[in-house]
Each structure stands twice: as structure tokens, then as C-alpha cells.
Amino acid sequence: MKNIVLKNGTVIDGTLTNEPEVKDILIKNKRIEKIGNITNKEQKNAKVIDCTGMYIMPGLINMHAHLFGTGQPSSILGGGALQKIVIQFVKTPVGHKVLDALVTSAVQQELYSGVTTLRSVGDFEYSDIRIRDKVRKGKIEGPRMFCSGPAITVPTGHGDGTFATTKEKPEDLRKEVQERTKHGVDFIKICTTGGVMDAKEKGHPGELKMNLEQTLAVTEEAHKLGLIVASHTESPEGMTVAINGGVDTIEHSSPFTDDEAKTLKDRNGAVIITCSPAVPLAKLPASVTKLSDFAQFNSQVVLDNMIEGAHRAKEKGIQIGLGTDASCPFATQYNMWRELLFYTKLANVAPKEAIHAATLSNATILGIENETGSIEETKYADLLVLSENPLENLETLKDPKHIFLEGKLIRKRPKKNQKLDEAIDSIMAEM
Ligand SMILES: [Zn+2]
């Protein structure tokens, strides 16, 4: 691969401490070889891209995505007879092919929109693992991937009957963890609480589903096997069980106590914020979302709780990551920029902090901060070149000028769902 020089761009490096600075970047053998003034001798035979007036930041890391969907609301997984037929079908060889095509499209949409590292947190039939391996072998183009395979839940838990495997007894839950290691998962995903759509009561989303014993069974087994555990957690009761039950990354989050904060911090745990489906579900008119009155109300409760969880995490010095929860209604595979923008508006943080959360902080939570997540010499050249300053306008992330994954220029761009984007644009305009 020919060396590349990004000339004269303003570098926003992904840290919270460093100020943006105009520099050159030399990319050699997939990595950032040098940052600073690249001499004529050093750039001889290299492809030189003039970045004058442009901004360079690390590639985005999406910490929470499901890969089977597009974000287009659908009633297929809404329970009932159709769901049963679909679930039977995806277990067949032809079903696997269909799933793999959906997942391939999803991971490529992510990459073509600037996500260079992606964590999948619950997909059907290990389709995420199959596609991850194809990407790793260079058979298909895609981002760096970390995958859980199917989530693990208990009867009536979130994902029961769809993207999760359901077990009740602690020893059976342990076996599910062991089963996943045979498939080569990178971590374990569980669902301690229900989700917005599972709730049966107004004002009480995120009902506790897994008890402490069940949660501990999973985390103990996973930790023994060297895997961390992520938990879908959408209520304060869920936070208590997830944190005391040994969970490492709390997905979505909710308010938690000082003692719980200390336990999570001592474990080096993290909170992953996912505003992307919660905001449209809470704010769009029911005629668009097709939600019942109480589901819409509950979406707002989940969103408020999540932001409160983010505030608590920040106050207590707990690592915060960002993800889109792609595949949920209104969470597409190409709108990570919206997550950053939602986070700045709702949690009242500066764009620099949102960029940090979506890059270096996410990399640190994944344990790959020495490889990617910031613009530093020796790290992989996972980079975005932007035409405007994202610290002033995060929307510029919607359409990166150039995307690099491990020094490779990614030329394709995602196919967007215009109608869906217009609906979300309308609520963003009012925020
Ligand atoms: Zn999720």
C-alpha cells in the first residue's frame, strides 16, 4: 500500500486535553507513522491529500448496535404469528443466508458513514460472528468488529423469543456462556431488565427480569473465561442488580446510588448511552411511531433515566461510551453523528466531549485504546476528514469528506432512508 500524507489539516485528536492544531499526518503500513511537519523527502512517492481548511478526527466507534435491521420501523418482531414464522425461518440454512446479507449491509452502512469500529450487542444465530470473521479475513469490506452473538435472557426478558436465548436456572445460564465461547464471541450480552416495548405498565419501563443469582451466574462464568459482560439495563432496580451482579458495561443506563457507582468504578466498568431510538420514540407524534400512549410515555421515562445515568457516571468519573442501538425503530446503521448530537443536547456536554466518548473513551472501554480511538503515532490510521469544524457543528459528521480504515481510503457512502431521516430531522430542529 502506498504511503498517504494528509497535508495541513486541523487535527482534533479524540482526547479531552489537547487543543485542535494544524498538522500533517503520514500514514504508512495501515498506521499513523508521523504527526507534525512532513518534509518533501518524507512525502516522496506518497499520495498527498491537501486538507487545508479541513478537520481530521478519529474514526467513530459505535459501541451498541444490532445488525439485523435498518431502523425502518417494522411489526415483524412485534410478537404474534408472523414473528414465530420469521424466527423459525432464520434458523434454516436459507434463513442464515438472508441474515448474513442483512448483517453485511448493516456493517457496510456503518463503515461508509464513518464508523471504523463496531460492537454488536445481540444478533440472531451468530450472524454477527460469521460476518466479523469474513471482514477479518478480508473477504468483505467492513469495520473492525466486536460481537456478542445472541444475547442471553430469562423468560419474558428483553429479547425472549427474538435475538436472545432464554434460560432460567443459573447452571443453564452458565452453559449459554460456555456455548458462546465455542462460537468465538468477544464478550457476553445479557438483558437484566425489559425494554421500552416490553413494558406492560405506564411509567414502569425497564422492569427487572434477571435476579442477582442469575446475573452472577453469567458474569462469574464469563469472567472465568476472560469475557466481559454487557447488560441491557433500563431502570434503577436493573442498575442495582447489574452492578452488584458483576456487569462490566451498563447499556442505556438509569440512575444509580453512590455505593453502586463505587462498585462499578472499582471494576473499571462503563455506562453506554444510546439516545438514537429513545429520542424519536419519545418525541415523534404517535401517528409516525405507531406507539401506544403508554409506550410513548415510557420512552420518555427511559430517556430521562438514561440521561440521569450519564450525569451520575460523569460526576463519579465512570467511563462513558456512546452507541446508536441501530436496528431499533428510527436507529439506522448510518446515523452515528445523530447520537453525538443528541448526547450534547440532552446531557448538556460540549461537542469535544461527545467526540471523545465516541472515539477514545469507546476504545478504552473495548480495551483497544493502544490501537485506535485517537490520532497518535503508531495507532491505526482510522480517520475522518471533515469539511467543517465538528467542534462547532457536529452535523458535518453526517457526510465525511474522506474515511480511512487502517489507512485504506473508503470510497463508498451509505444509502439513506430519506423519509426516516426527515422525520428525525424535524425533532432535531426543535432541540
Ligand atoms: Zn440494544
Side-chain angles (χ1 to χ4, degrees):
M1 208 199 287
K2 210 174 171 182
N3 293 352
I4 297 171
V5 175
L6 303 180
K7 202 77 186 161
N8 218 21
T10 302
V11 176
I12 296 163
D13 69 1
T15 66
L16 282 176
T17 44
N18 296 342
E19 291 303 318
E21 224 181 301
V22 177
K23 289 173 184 169
D24 305 331
I25 297 176
L26 171 63
I27 302 170
K28 186 179 176 184
N29 294 331
K30 300 183 176 183
R31 292 183 186 261
I32 299 167
E33 171 84 5
K34 187 180 169 189
I35 307 169
N37 182 30
I38 308 298
T39 63
N40 283 343
K41 197 179 157 199
E42 283 169 321
Q43 71 185 41
K44 204 178 159 209
N45 297 325
K47 176 186 169 77
V48 179
I49 300 174
D50 181 16
C51 296
T52 306
M54 293 195 247
Y55 296 80
I56 308 174
M57 61 168 269
L60 295 168
I61 301 178
N62 187 349
M63 274 298 270
H64 187 121
H66 307 268
L67 306 174
F68 54 85
T70 61
Q72 175 66 39
S74 152
S75 56
I76 292 177
L77 297 177
L82 183 57
Q83 176 175 304
K84 274 198 185 124
I85 294 165
V86 170
I87 297 303
Q88 280 311 314
F89 171 69
V90 297
K91 290 179 178 157
T92 65
V94 182
H96 277 202
K97 280 203 174 138
V98 172
L99 274 180
D100 289 4
L102 287 172
V103 172
T104 302
S105 162
V107 305
Q108 291 182 338
Q109 292 273 84
E110 294 278 351
L111 176 62
Y112 300 157
S113 64
V115 171
T116 48
T117 303
L118 177 62
R119 187 171 77 142
S120 80
V121 288
D123 266 278
F124 294 87
E125 299 285 310
Y126 297 97
S127 49
D128 53 342
I129 303 286
R130 285 194 295 279
I131 301 310
R132 178 200 69 187
D133 291 349
K134 279 190 182 172
V135 170
R136 284 186 186 168
K137 285 180 189 151
K139 288 185 176 167
I140 55 172
E141 189 167 64
R144 186 180 295 104
M145 287 170 69
F146 295 86
C147 308
S148 70
I152 301 174
T153 194
V154 294
T156 76
H158 187 51
D160 179 17
T162 58
F163 65 87
T165 314
T166 306
K167 290 284 180 301
E168 189 159 21
K169 292 188 192 132
E171 60 266 34
D172 293 335
L173 290 161
R174 283 178 192 271
K175 280 184 197 143
E176 283 302 321
V177 175
Q178 292 159 8
E179 175 65 21
R180 276 155 184 72
T181 62
K182 291 182 207 155
H183 290 268
V185 302
D186 299 299
F187 68 100
I188 298 294
K189 168 75 185 295
I190 59 173
C191 302
T192 344
T193 72
V196 178
M197 306 300 190
D198 310 327
K200 300 279 179 280
E201 232 182 292
K202 188 167 177 174
H204 291 283
E207 194 188 337
L208 186 63
K209 297 290 180 179
M210 288 180 76
N211 62 34
L212 190 62
E213 193 192 3
Q214 290 165 325
T215 308
L216 278 169
V218 173
T219 58
E220 279 172 10
E221 195 64 28
H223 292 160
K224 210 160 50 181
L225 295 162
L227 300 171
I228 68 159
V229 178
S231 170
H232 166 99
T233 309
E234 288 191 330
S235 62
E237 311 89 272
M239 294 300 279
T240 302
V241 169
I243 293 172
N244 293 317
V247 167
D248 303 281
T249 70
I250 307 286
E251 310 296 311
H252 320 302
S253 95
S254 216
F256 49 102
T257 67
D258 287 352
D259 284 347
E260 288 158 8
K262 188 177 181 311
T263 306
L264 188 61
K265 192 165 187 216
D266 288 349
R267 185 183 300 139
N268 215 3
V271 161
I272 312 298
I273 301 301
T274 62
C275 304
S276 295
V279 177
L281 290 178
K283 313 277 186 207
L284 280 173
S287 58
V288 179
T289 59
K290 310 273 186 276
L291 288 190
S292 65
D293 167 49
F294 86 78
Q296 184 164 27
F297 183 88
N298 284 349
S299 297
Q300 186 65 51
V301 173
V302 163
L303 183 59
D304 293 345
N305 277 344
M306 182 157 66
I307 297 306
E308 184 57 32
H311 284 312
R312 299 244 57 198
K314 188 176 165 182
E315 183 189 306
K316 297 290 177 184
I318 291 165
Q319 197 84 237
I320 297 174
L322 293 185
T324 60
D325 217 350
S327 295
C328 281
F330 301 97
T332 66
Q333 303 286 353
Y334 58 82
N335 269 335
M336 180 77 186
W337 71 275
R338 291 191 194 273
E339 186 62 37
L340 278 78
L341 200 63
F342 284 141
Y343 182 55
T344 57
K345 302 256 186 204
L346 296 168
N348 197 21
V349 302
K352 191 174 189 176
E353 209 171 314
I355 289 173
H356 172 74
T359 57
L360 188 55
S361 183
N362 275 349
T364 307
I365 297 164
L366 282 166
I368 55 168
E369 72 278 17
N370 293 324
E371 298 292 338
T372 189
S374 65
I375 302 182
E376 262 183 80
E377 288 174 2
T378 77
K379 285 194 183 184
Y380 279 120
D382 298 339
L383 304 168
L384 306 181
V385 179
L386 307 166
S387 43
E388 283 180 58
N389 185 354
L391 301 179
E392 283 163 11
N393 177 19
L394 277 171
E395 203 171 333
T396 186
L397 273 169
K398 178 161 76 173
D399 189 19
K401 184 99 180 131
H402 303 296
I403 299 167
F404 292 93
L405 169 63
E406 297 190 0
K408 186 183 170 209
L409 187 58
I410 304 297
R411 293 181 187 279
K412 292 191 182 165
R413 291 296 178 267
K415 285 191 190 73
K416 301 189 179 184
N417 181 334
Q418 204 186 339
K419 207 174 153 202
L420 205 118
D421 278 332
E422 278 170 10
I424 313 170
D425 285 342
S426 71
I427 38 174
M428 285 183 119
E430 283 169 23
M431 290 177 81

